[in-house]
Amino acid sequence: LSSFDGIIDSYLRVAGDKEKLDTSKEISGHFNYTANFLDNLKEASTSKPKMEELDKAASALIPSLEELVGLLNEADDYYKAKDYLDDKYAEGQELHTKILAAIYKYDTAVVEYYAALSKKSNEVEMEDLNNAKKDGRMITYNKILTLQLAEDIMNEIDTQKLTAENVTTADLTKIKPLYEQFNMVQKQLRESVKDPELLKKEGSDEEDSSNTFKRREIEDFVDTSTKFKTSVIAFIDRVEKNEKIDAFKLEHKFPMYNEAGSPEQLNKLISELVKDYNQSNR
């Protein structure tokens, strides 16, 4: 969904968010998107175990997501084929009107979905956190806290609606204290994975070659969390020094996830961190 939100932002950046389509600059497309996760979302929303709030939110999200993906793909075809030169943007305006309405429906549904997902995620994480502490599995305990605090940082960045274009307007009064907590816990995580006794409790005994994959997955999580940490440092430094993203890169749509300290880079890293977390818990 984060990558799809990037597609929406790309469209609005060139076509505008007003009723009238902005034709002041050439629109070249690049709105094509394949929602590979849709089938999984459909299956999860109707399968057991039932999660009433989350299933309901997912069911409401699916049609709005499908509609918007379809419209953006139509727009992608239209602009890549330069059909606007033939019809003087007539179809482009029709698509724009439909896309704006679809974005509104999607935004409403996705907010409710994220809220339900966050609630369920917090319930599961708190249960896992308590069990890990009780069992003395401090690597797992620190992993969960590291992920939670990374997500808290991203939630604040999302709340402030920060992107590469406005990153230097960030209010750091909440972000910096969250980073300090994250930094402390992530350091504890790095130390805990060096402890042979803790590794043994996690089923990752260094002397047992059968646990190689398990250890590697834990190491991947630690490595990604370190990349996230350094990106947050770069983000805070960029804001404090008022270092805006290069205007040329923004204008020519350079991939912002490659830009140190950009919200887009942090979004990419948090997605990788969640993936590594899930992998290490298999």
Side-chain angles (χ1 to χ4, degrees):
L1 287 175
S2 294
S3 61
F4 181 58
D5 287 345
I7 297 292
I8 296 172
D9 289 342
S10 294
Y11 176 81
L12 293 176
R13 195 178 300 127
V14 292
D17 58 0
K18 303 294 190 291
E19 286 185 19
K20 183 172 175 52
L21 175 68
D22 183 357
T23 58
S24 61
K25 48 186 175 288
E26 184 178 353
I27 304 175
S28 57
H30 305 294
F31 315 126
N32 186 272
Y33 188 79
T34 303
N36 293 318
F37 58 87
L38 256 174
D39 288 340
N40 291 337
L41 192 62
K42 289 175 183 177
E43 183 180 348
S45 66
T46 56
S47 64
K48 294 181 180 179
K50 296 300 292 177
M51 304 179 190
E52 189 172 344
E53 284 185 60
L54 188 52
D55 290 343
K56 182 180 178 182
S59 296
L61 174 63
I62 289 164
S64 63
L65 181 59
E66 285 183 314
E67 180 187 14
L68 185 51
V69 167
L71 287 168
L72 286 170
N73 286 345
E74 279 187 55
D76 185 68
D77 288 340
Y78 175 78
Y79 288 108
K80 280 183 178 175
K82 298 195 174 186
D83 289 341
Y84 54 87
L85 296 176
D86 299 321
D87 68 1
K88 296 184 173 25
Y89 289 98
E91 185 179 347
Q93 180 61 60
E94 288 179 18
L95 282 168
H96 185 66
T97 301
K98 291 178 182 177
I99 287 171
L100 290 184
I103 288 174
Y104 177 80
K105 286 190 283 185
Y106 167 78
D107 282 348
T108 302
V110 84
V111 165
E112 293 178 3
Y113 175 75
Y114 276 139
L117 185 63
S118 178
K119 182 179 177 182
K120 175 54 67 177
S121 177
N122 289 339
E123 288 173 7
V124 173
E125 283 181 357
M126 285 308 300
E127 184 178 350
D128 288 345
L129 192 68
N130 292 332
N131 288 337
K133 190 172 185 180
K134 183 176 66 176
D135 298 339
R137 292 180 291 112
M138 298 311 293
I139 293 175
T140 294
Y141 180 80
N142 287 322
K143 267 172 45 189
I144 295 170
L145 280 181
T146 296
L147 180 60
Q148 284 181 341
L149 287 164
E151 288 175 333
D152 288 345
I153 291 169
M154 289 314 303
N155 286 338
E156 181 57 31
I157 287 173
D158 289 342
T159 297
Q160 294 187 31
K161 300 185 183 303
L162 298 173
T163 67
E165 291 186 347
N166 67 355
V167 61
T168 55
T169 67
D171 179 358
L172 297 178
T173 54
K174 290 183 180 178
I175 295 173
K176 286 185 76 171
L178 286 172
Y179 168 73
E180 292 302 325
Q181 294 177 57
F182 170 84
N183 182 35
M184 181 178 65
V185 171
Q186 201 266 346
K187 187 175 182 180
Q188 290 172 358
L189 173 65
R190 298 199 318 265
E191 292 300 318
S192 64
V193 297
K194 299 174 186 176
D195 189 325
E197 290 302 314
L198 290 178
L199 284 168
K200 191 177 289 187
K201 281 189 176 182
E202 301 284 341
S204 302
D205 189 352
E206 289 184 328
E207 296 176 4
D208 187 345
S209 60
S210 66
N211 293 321
T212 301
F213 286 114
K214 178 73 173 175
R215 289 198 304 276
R216 188 178 299 160
E217 286 163 353
I218 291 173
E219 289 166 1
D220 286 344
F221 179 86
V222 175
D223 289 345
T224 305
S225 70
T226 301
K227 290 176 185 175
F228 182 84
K229 166 186 158 66
T230 58
S231 186
V232 177
I233 292 171
F235 167 83
I236 292 171
D237 191 54
R238 183 181 287 280
V239 175
E240 289 182 333
K241 293 179 178 177
N242 196 32
E243 289 183 357
K244 297 180 180 179
I245 304 288
D246 186 270
F248 180 85
K249 292 181 179 180
L250 289 172
E251 183 182 351
H252 292 85
K253 301 178 182 61
F254 279 48
M256 286 298 110
Y257 57 76
N258 290 329
E259 198 68 28
S262 68
E264 288 81 356
Q265 184 179 77
L266 287 167
N267 262 316
K268 182 175 184 289
L269 288 170
I270 195 71
S271 296
E272 291 177 8
L273 194 62
V274 170
K275 181 181 176 182
D276 289 343
Y277 177 82
N278 291 335
Q279 286 285 102
S280 67
N281 283 346
R282 289 185 305 175

